[in-house]
């Protein structure tokens, strides 16, 4: 397991280098080894403007090496106020080289999924969502849960072609087989999606260790009922571990409190902040450090 970054509460961040627009966010990343694995091969990065989860695979420690390489490279984009898709492509390509060097010769090879979000480059506030593999990004907004990414997996292909139903996919013998990864000496090919960046939005970035144990209804329930990003992340991971914890479980939850002058008053009230404080720009709190683990 490798962690890069810190958890943050009500942080104001510049949207783009050439823009005066500020975004107010809270975010929290949590990971757990689960109940059946000896090591945690998930890694994550929370270094604004980029947030991502990587779920490693391979024999022995190879998966941990692969996921660590990806988040180390993506963390290099932290602090940049504008991140382009080409920047992400370059970092993932560098990570493939790192994986080959760090993992050495392994019987099963070494690779990892990766999924995440970063501030977009468009003038209108957007998220750039990216993914390779079956880790996922969800949006919870106005009571509705949406899966933003599409899995690169055998069962997803079977669903798309009508060969099986989503219900059958849950118990399919190839449920863990992915069709795209970072590593295995192949060029990484992420999918990119643009998503509006709006006040009141809650995003979930997670490994499949969470989605194996929680249904969409369960995920929606916990995102809807937890007041803060930290509460939601901790609850989701704990519930996944308690349900069976068959795999490593990692979740990052991001709350969008304000975009420029547009404020989500609901999130302020749920956090116990009086609406009278909205005119005070000093409502932000200091970030909570997260130890870097490798």
């Amino acid at each position: 397991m490798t962690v890069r970054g810190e958890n943050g509460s009500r942080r104001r961040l510049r949207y783009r280098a050439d823009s005066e627009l500020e975004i107010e966010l809270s975010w929290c990343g949590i990971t757990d080894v689960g109940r059946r694995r000896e090591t945690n091969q998930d890694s994550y990065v929370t270094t604004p403007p980029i947030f991502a989860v990587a779920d490693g695979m391979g024999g022995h420690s190879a998966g941990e090496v692969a996921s660590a390489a990806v988040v180390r490279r993506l963390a290099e984009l932290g602090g940049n106020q504008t991140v382009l898709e080409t920047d992400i492509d370059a970092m993932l390509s560098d990570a493939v080289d790192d994986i080959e060097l760090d993992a050495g010769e392994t019987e099963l090879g070494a690779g990892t999924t990766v999924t995440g979000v970063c501030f977009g480059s468009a003038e209108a506030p957007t998220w750039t969502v990216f993914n390779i593999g079956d880790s996922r990004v969800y949006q919870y907004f106005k009571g509705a849960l949406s899966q933003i990414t599409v899995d690169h997996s055998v069962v997803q292909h079977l669903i798309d072609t009508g060969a099986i139903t989503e219900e059958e996919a849950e118990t399919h013998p190839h449920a863990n087989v992915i069709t795209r990864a970072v590593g295995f000496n192949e060029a990484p090919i992420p999918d990119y999606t643009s998503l509006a960046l709006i006040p009141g939005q809650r995003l979930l970035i997670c490994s499949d260790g969470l989605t194996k144990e929680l249904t969409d209804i369960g995920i929606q329930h916990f995102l809807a009922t937890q007041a803060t990003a930290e509460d939601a992340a901790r609850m989701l991971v704990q519930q996944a571990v308690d349900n069976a914890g068959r795999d490593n479980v990692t979740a990052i939850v991001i709350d969008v409190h304000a975009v420029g002058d547009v404020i989500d008053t609901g999130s302020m009230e749920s956090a116990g902040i009086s609406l009278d404080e909205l005119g005070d720009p000093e409502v932000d709190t200091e970030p909570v450090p997260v130890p870097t683990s490798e």
Side-chain angles (χ1 to χ4, degrees), residues 90-111:
M91 289 302 173
L92 294 181
S93 293
D94 288 343
V96 173
D97 295 336
D98 295 343
I99 292 167
E100 183 178 2
L101 180 64
D102 296 344
E105 294 294 329
T106 64
E107 182 178 350
L108 299 177

Side-chain angles (χ1 to χ4, degrees), residues 54 78 123 132:
E123 184 173 350
I132 296 177

